[in-house]
């Protein structure tokens, strides 16, 4: 298992909605954690779960499973930078 995509780019100050769909039963991936944003969500197998927030600062932040073994990167671009 892993996150697909595992690298996401968003813009600082703009609302973000990420939807996760867990397609396997590994207990490690029962949650997704965005520690820098104080967000933890349970991910029931086969059910889409949305995570919504507005990043206040730019930079690269990790998100990971509850055991910190499966990881992804959220790149928050400054407001004035164009997205790829």
């Amino acid at each position: 298992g892993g996150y697909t995509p595992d690298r996401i780019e968003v813009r600082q100050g703009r609302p973000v909605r990420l939807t996760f769909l867990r397609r396997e039963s590994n207990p490690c991936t029962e949650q997704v954690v965005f520690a820098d944003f104080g967000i933890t969500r349970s991910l029931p197998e086969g059910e889409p779960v949305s995570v919504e927030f507005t990043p206040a600062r730019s930079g690269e932040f990790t998100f990971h499973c509850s055991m910190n073994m499966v990881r992804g990167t959220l790149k928050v671009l400054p407001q004035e930078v164009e997205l790829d």
Side-chain angles (χ1 to χ4, degrees), residues 27-72:
C28 175
T29 59
E30 289 178 343
Q31 290 184 326
V32 64
V33 178
F34 289 80
D36 293 298
F37 299 97
I39 298 170
T40 301
R41 294 287 186 276
S42 294
L43 301 177
E45 187 177 349
E47 295 180 31
V49 174
S50 291
V51 176
E52 298 181 24
F53 60 101
T54 302
R57 64 187 195 275
S58 61
E60 287 199 8
F61 307 93
T62 59
F63 57 96
H64 54 83
C65 68
S66 59
M67 296 179 187
N68 202 12
M69 295 175 64
V70 179
R71 296 184 192 103

Side-chain angles (χ1 to χ4, degrees), residues 3-40:
Y3 298 109
T4 304
D6 64 355
R7 184 166 179 80
I8 302 166
E9 289 187 359
V10 299
R11 187 174 313 280
Q12 174 187 2
R14 298 239 179 125
V16 173
R17 178 186 298 148
L18 303 173
T19 301
F20 291 83
L21 179 60
R22 183 170 157 240
R23 294 184 176 158
E24 47 81 36
S25 59
N26 182 343
C28 175
T29 59
E30 289 178 343
Q31 290 184 326
V32 64
V33 178
F34 289 80
D36 293 298
F37 299 97
I39 298 170
T40 301

